[in-house]
Amino acid sequence: MSGGRLITIEGLDGAGKTTLARSLAAEISARGHAVELLREPGGVLVSEHIRALVQDPGLEISARAEALLYAAARAQLVEERLRPLLASGAIVLLDRYVDSSLAYQGAGRALGVQAVLAINRFATSALEPDRTLLLRISPAAGRARQRRRAAEPDRLERESEQFFARVADAYDELARAEPARVRILDGSRAPEHVLADGLAAIADLLALEPLARD
Ligand code: TYD
């Protein structure tokens, strides 16, 4: 079976993931590739329901339950959308994936990266990204950008500075551990520079023939 490409975009809140994802999708599409832009948690109905639940500031959700809810949203997305899209040969740009859970739940909530990885391997039946773009920004700069947005902070965005420092360190560690997959982009640069860097970081994937996937 031929396969598409799964490209994930990661980083702290306020790093500019959504802006990059949208502009990358437009550029990839302009080059004649079938491209699909999805976000986590979400992308399919069940996962959008779970998104509303995990982001509700009125709910107290235990750390383990939170990790399982993100994993459940992900499991549904993988089965219902990602696997079929990849099988059809599409390039899928995904705004957050397993690395978000490793950083936010594994490190931020201190559940342990390995424990969170284990439930996510189960949830995704080990579907791994072909490339991950890590938009790097300091926690302080991310927070400042978030404050400039009009929207009320959601449940996760209300966390402490120490929480986001742990998340940022975990992302850096993931990039160090898997340099071939995870490419770091400087999120403090202007959007057009981030886009150019992002395109350069996936250029090899766009040129290749489709991968065989099981
Ligand atoms: P985000 O993409 O920042 O949504 P928005 O654009 O609405 O701000 O993601 C929402 C939050 O969910 C964010 O604070 C990070 C958190 N999150 C986790 O903690 N673990 C996960 O596995 C995922 C996918 C997201």
Side-chain angles (χ1 to χ4, degrees):
M1 199 197 301
S2 70
R5 292 284 188 276
L6 177 58
I7 299 167
T8 62
I9 302 175
E10 294 282 355
L12 293 174
D13 300 272
K17 291 178 287 76
T18 308
T19 305
L20 174 64
R22 287 195 188 129
S23 53
L24 267 183
E27 289 289 332
I28 294 170
S29 168
R31 283 163 171 73
H33 297 280
V35 60
E36 194 75 28
L37 176 56
L38 295 165
R39 68 168 180 184
E40 271 216 75
V44 292
L45 193 56
V46 166
S47 312
E48 291 289 340
H49 281 294
I50 296 174
R51 179 186 184 87
L53 194 67
V54 285
Q55 294 192 350
D56 183 348
L59 293 177
E60 273 186 37
I61 300 177
S62 77
R64 282 166 195 274
E66 179 182 280
L68 288 164
L69 284 168
Y70 282 115
R74 188 165 293 135
Q76 187 71 29
L77 179 71
V78 166
E79 193 158 327
E80 195 177 325
R81 288 300 296 284
L82 290 186
R83 293 238 185 239
L85 277 169
L86 293 169
S88 77
I91 292 177
V92 180
L93 281 178
L94 184 51
D95 189 341
R96 296 194 181 280
Y97 189 56
V98 173
D99 296 312
S100 280
S101 283
L102 303 183
Y104 281 77
Q105 281 67 52
R109 298 279 189 233
L111 288 174
V113 169
Q114 288 309 317
V116 175
L117 181 60
I119 60 167
N120 275 279
R121 284 224 172 95
F122 174 77
T124 63
S125 49
L127 176 67
E128 291 187 6
D130 296 293
R131 187 73 31 93
T132 296
L133 304 178
L134 172 57
L135 266 173
R136 204 165 178 279
I137 192 174
S138 73
R143 210 156 253 253
R145 276 196 193 159
Q146 241 173 270
R147 277 200 213 100
R148 286 199 292 273
R149 290 182 192 158
E152 277 287 292
D154 65 33
R155 205 176 54 80
L156 266 288
E157 287 166 353
R158 288 166 194 240
E159 277 302 324
S160 67
E161 268 167 43
Q162 293 89 326
F163 177 91
F164 288 106
R166 287 196 297 276
V167 174
D169 287 348
Y171 270 134
D172 286 347
E173 184 55 42
L174 289 167
R176 267 195 297 275
E178 285 185 77
R181 174 176 70 87
V182 183
R183 305 289 167 86
I184 295 177
L185 307 181
D186 181 353
S188 69
R189 303 188 81 200
E192 61 271 24
H193 290 294
V194 178
L195 173 60
D197 293 347
L199 277 172
I202 58 171
D204 58 325
L205 294 181
L206 301 186
L208 280 175
E209 288 302 304
L211 269 184
R213 282 184 189 274
D214 57 7

